[in-house]
Amino acid sequence: MAETQTPADLFIRPRDIVFKSASPPARWWLGGDPVATAFFNALSASFPQGERFFMDAVRHHRDTADPRLKDLIAAFLAQEAVHSREHLALNGELAERGYDFAPIERYLKKRFDFGRRLPPLSRLGATIALEHFTAILAHALLSDGDDLALAPPELKRLWHWHAIEEIEHKAVAFDAYLAATRRFSRPRRWCMRCVSMALNTIVFLQYLRFGTRELFRQDGIDNRATRRALRRYLWSKPGILRRAAPAYFAYYRPGFHPWRVDDRALIAGVEASLRG
Ligand SMILES: [Fe+2]
Ligand SMILES: [Fe+2]
């Protein structure tokens, strides 16, 4: 892993935690706000299929990885598997409150089925782009503002736990990409990952639009006022996409690596709250 900027002493630790509430959360569990709740629910709905796609894309490169990267890949796979398990459980609880995730699952399946027909390197390119999204959203979630202040404590813990581990393994797919493209010229590598990021940004934002609107539809509030409220929620206050935007654009710089921002102190601070 000659080119990686992953800290040599980074240790990725899967925390196998079962988050179980006494009863399913309220339908609008985030402070009674259907807009904020729909954003997090749409993310949660995407994780089981999304993370399976990421795991398969990275696993494909495991056999050719050096021993250090192999270990990191194993930890990445372990973390993502538990994330999917816990989000499946959460999605099941949300379904008990009346949400039907089948339309979202069908939408995602179509896209991921298409993605699975792409060559392995394109699948890895999509994975490093979308893993960057999860890592910068996780950083924004943990570092400024408290988007989950009004969430039930157990749900806040679940999202913080997921965010911590997304930051921790943020460069595993990226390092697999560096290894897989080591014989490519620098401009070619850079170009490939930037094009992939641009395309996957569209995919991600389209999904966010579809997923939240589907949930609004089920809530009977899919109208212009709600959609405006969602834009305000995402871009203005608390504005998680606005807060993550600088880190998003950093991806397009030549020489970018996820660990150029070392946020281990951030996750160590939040981790203490998980033990509560
Ligand atoms: Fe995850
Ligand atoms: Fe991840």
Side-chain angles (χ1 to χ4, degrees), residues 76-99:
F76 164 85
L77 295 173
Q79 286 190 335
E80 294 290 33
V82 183
H83 298 169
S84 288
R85 183 193 75 199
E86 289 306 304
H87 279 277
L88 269 176
L90 172 61
N91 298 345
E93 291 186 349
L94 296 170
E96 281 182 50
R97 290 296 188 206
Y99 285 117

Side-chain angles (χ1 to χ4, degrees), residues 14-220:
R15 301 160 185 79
D16 187 354
I17 305 176
V18 176
F19 296 87
K20 188 80 194 110
S21 321
S23 60
R27 186 170 170 107
W28 294 344
W29 54 266
L30 188 36
D33 177 355
V35 171
T37 305
F39 169 65
F40 282 94
N41 283 356
L43 287 181
S44 185
S46 73
F47 288 139
Q49 289 197 52
E51 294 183 323
R52 197 178 327 130
F53 181 87
F54 302 162
M55 291 187 331
D56 292 345
V58 173
R59 195 186 286 114
H60 183 85
H61 298 271
R62 183 172 51 182
D63 292 345
T64 51
D66 66 32
R68 163 75 172 149
L69 183 55
K70 238 180 219 163
D71 286 348
L72 294 175
I73 288 175
F76 164 85
L77 295 173
Q79 286 190 335
E80 294 290 33
V82 183
H83 298 169
S84 288
R85 183 193 75 199
E86 289 306 304
H87 279 277
L88 269 176
L90 172 61
N91 298 345
E93 291 186 349
L94 296 170
E96 281 182 50
R97 290 296 188 206
Y99 285 117
D100 175 12
F101 289 109
I104 291 181
E105 277 159 17
R106 279 196 300 273
Y107 174 101
L108 290 167
K109 184 172 182 317
K110 238 191 226 169
R111 268 129 193 99
F112 285 116
D113 281 352
F114 171 79
R116 284 176 196 282
R117 290 198 291 272
L118 297 173
L121 203 52
S122 300
R123 300 201 299 264
L124 191 59
T127 300
I128 60 172
L130 294 169
E131 277 283 284
H132 185 58
F133 264 107
T134 58
I136 63 177
L137 290 176
H139 183 106
L141 190 67
L142 298 183
S143 60
D144 51 357
D146 192 355
D147 306 54
L148 293 165
L150 299 176
E154 198 62 1
L155 279 188
K156 182 172 170 172
R157 280 182 73 220
L158 181 148
W159 284 100
H160 279 189
W161 157 79
H162 195 166
I164 283 174
E165 296 201 339
E166 286 303 323
I167 290 175
E168 212 169 52
H169 73 226
K170 63 181 175 175
V172 176
F174 198 91
D175 285 344
Y177 175 81
L178 288 180
T181 58
R182 63 192 173 281
R183 294 201 178 83
F184 292 14
S185 68
R186 276 173 192 273
R188 184 177 171 200
R189 274 172 145 180
W190 173 76
C191 195
M192 273 177 64
R193 73 172 172 80
C194 289
V195 168
S196 178
M197 177 52 110
L199 292 174
N200 281 287
T201 300
I202 297 169
V203 169
F204 177 73
L205 293 177
Q206 275 181 342
Y207 166 67
L208 215 49
R209 186 167 182 272
F210 176 86
T212 49
R213 282 192 67 171
E214 173 58 27
L215 297 169
F216 291 154
R217 191 187 63 76
Q218 294 184 24
D219 283 331

Side-chain angles (χ1 to χ4, degrees), residues 208-270:
L208 215 49
R209 186 167 182 272
F210 176 86
T212 49
R213 282 192 67 171
E214 173 58 27
L215 297 169
F216 291 154
R217 191 187 63 76
Q218 294 184 24
D219 283 331
I221 53 167
D222 182 23
N223 54 51
R224 276 166 71 170
T226 312
R227 293 199 288 274
R228 201 177 317 122
L230 177 68
R231 281 196 294 277
R232 209 178 314 121
Y233 178 80
L234 294 176
W235 293 102
S236 174
K237 202 171 179 269
I240 193 165
L241 295 187
R242 171 182 48 76
R243 280 152 38 214
Y248 167 79
F249 286 109
Y251 187 91
Y252 290 95
R253 284 188 207 129
F256 164 83
H257 186 278
W259 281 110
R260 285 205 161 190
V261 174
D262 188 344
D263 32 16
R264 284 179 291 173
L266 173 70
I267 60 179
V270 176

